[in-house]
Amino acid sequence: SYLPNTESYKVFKGTQLSFKAIKRLKNIAESNNGFLFSTPGDISSLRLLKKAGIQAYKVSSGLFTNIPLIQEIIKYNEPIILSTGMAKEEEIERVMSLMKNEGMTNIALLHCISLYPAPYSSLNLSYVSKLSEKYNIIAGYSDHSEGEIACLAAVSMGAKIIEKHFTIDNSIKGADNNMSMEPHAFKDMCKKIRNIEDMLYLSDKKPHPKELELRNSRYRMLVAKRDLKIGEKLTLENVNFMRGSGNSHNFISAYDWNQIQGKICISKIKKNTLITLDILSD
């Protein structure tokens, strides 16, 4: 899908995979509890992938405006991941309208900046959440920056799919190999992504259930600063706000001080003793 004598043609000439190679990669992926998906560069490649049993398709940024190819992919009714590098918003809108009109729901959009390498200042990672919210779909990030930091940041901002270029050796010449990630670094990045996903703990409520177990031993409670006499009013001069133990019950939290201030002791209270409602009156 490159015109002869263009720079892209020279770079990618001879790099196409045979049908046999595609089948072999598919078997390797499935034997490792994964699956193979691929980007068809043109309609004939799409048909070859379909014949090989590929069950998901990627539309690269350079193919995002190739409406005839996208229409052919839609006919297979398989999952589609579309990368949006270089795309204008009206082009994204047109492709998404096409998907909607054809009843396609198993799709995802990847935010992408098609610069090689892409400077951090160009990445605009907040656009990941914009894609997700606007189209109510899974959104992800296709990275062309150096290192792992952009991928990790994108996950923390809601990206559910990460595309990162992979190589076995950065010193190999050709294409974007020098900015791709080698196996050890790639594996380490994946571990960090899983850790970030754990950190996200998807809930709109606080506190975390495990924090509830700590409240009694961490929050401050009302304690006598010195021995208190019957009839004495509680003031900031004769009380302290201190940590108790996890076994503390019926305590008065420092949070409620404004409702307790000025109440009168109806019993003697020894220094460093918890002050409770049953020994106070108005």
Side-chain angles (χ1 to χ4, degrees):
S1 60
Y2 303 105
L3 280 174
N5 300 319
T6 61
E7 188 60 33
S8 293
Y9 182 85
K10 294 174 184 177
V11 169
F12 292 104
K13 182 180 179 181
T15 61
Q16 66 270 26
L17 294 174
S18 67
F19 179 78
K20 183 179 179 180
I22 295 170
K23 289 288 289 184
R24 182 167 179 264
L25 287 172
K26 180 175 181 291
N27 291 336
I28 291 172
E30 291 174 353
S31 66
N32 285 277
N33 299 316
F35 71 96
L36 181 67
F37 67 93
S38 184
T39 297
D42 50 36
I43 292 175
S44 63
S45 298
L46 171 64
R47 291 169 179 164
L48 181 70
L49 292 174
K50 180 63 175 176
K51 183 180 178 182
I54 300 301
Q55 295 179 310
Y57 298 93
K58 164 79 188 301
V59 175
S60 67
S61 294
L63 295 168
F64 191 82
T65 57
N66 191 335
I67 296 298
L69 176 62
I70 293 174
Q71 289 173 325
E72 288 300 307
I73 296 174
I74 289 173
K75 291 178 182 179
Y76 294 152
N77 196 29
E78 302 284 7
I80 307 174
I81 301 172
L82 302 105
S83 195
T84 61
M86 303 177 292
K88 297 179 180 180
E89 292 201 338
E90 56 263 34
E91 292 168 339
I92 298 174
E93 186 69 34
R94 182 186 175 190
V95 170
M96 292 306 294
S97 295
L98 176 62
M99 295 290 174
K100 183 177 180 181
N101 292 340
E102 295 294 335
M104 290 293 296
T105 58
N106 200 358
I107 57 178
L109 288 177
L110 303 186
H111 170 57
C112 177
I113 301 298
S114 295
L115 301 175
Y116 300 84
Y120 292 152
S121 59
S122 72
L123 297 184
N124 190 25
L125 292 181
S126 61
Y127 206 81
V128 173
S129 56
K130 180 177 180 178
L131 287 174
S132 176
E133 293 165 6
K134 182 174 182 179
Y135 297 109
N136 192 29
I137 58 166
I138 291 174
Y141 173 62
S142 174
D143 185 46
H144 297 141
S145 69
E146 295 179 336
E148 64 181 17
I149 189 170
C151 294
L152 303 182
V155 172
S156 72
M157 299 180 76
K160 304 300 183 186
I161 300 172
I162 292 294
E163 177 186 328
K164 182 69 177 178
H165 291 213
F166 176 84
T167 182
I168 58 171
D169 185 352
N170 286 129
S171 66
I172 299 173
K173 292 184 178 181
D176 54 5
N177 198 68
N178 64 330
M179 54 152 280
S180 299
M181 188 172 279
E182 293 182 345
H184 178 76
F186 198 97
K187 184 177 181 180
D188 186 56
M189 179 188 70
C190 291
K191 288 180 179 178
K192 291 176 182 177
I193 286 173
R194 295 294 176 245
N195 288 337
I196 292 171
E197 289 173 336
D198 285 342
M199 293 177 196
L200 292 176
Y201 174 61
L202 300 178
S203 174
D204 58 359
K205 296 182 179 180
K206 276 186 62 65
H208 187 283
K210 290 190 177 296
E211 286 183 294
L212 289 171
E213 303 168 8
L214 301 174
R215 286 171 58 91
N216 288 359
S217 62
R218 299 293 175 86
Y219 277 159
R220 269 51 181 179
M221 53 192 68
L222 197 61
V223 174
K225 184 183 292 186
R226 55 173 172 78
D227 290 347
L228 300 180
K229 300 175 182 178
I230 295 175
E232 194 168 352
K233 287 186 178 182
L234 299 184
T235 69
L236 288 176
E237 282 66 44
N238 60 20
V239 301
N240 271 331
F241 304 98
M242 305 176 73
R243 273 191 181 191
S245 69
N247 297 322
S248 300
H249 297 288
N250 300 320
F251 63 86
I252 298 172
S253 170
Y255 181 79
D256 297 316
W257 169 245
N258 288 341
Q259 286 74 48
I260 299 301
Q261 183 176 208
K263 286 189 178 292
I264 299 171
C265 300
I266 59 175
S267 299
K268 292 181 180 180
I269 306 174
K270 290 187 175 295
K271 180 180 179 179
N272 290 334
T273 299
L274 286 178
I275 300 173
T276 56
L277 285 173
D278 60 315
I279 55 177
L280 299 175
S281 75
D282 296 327

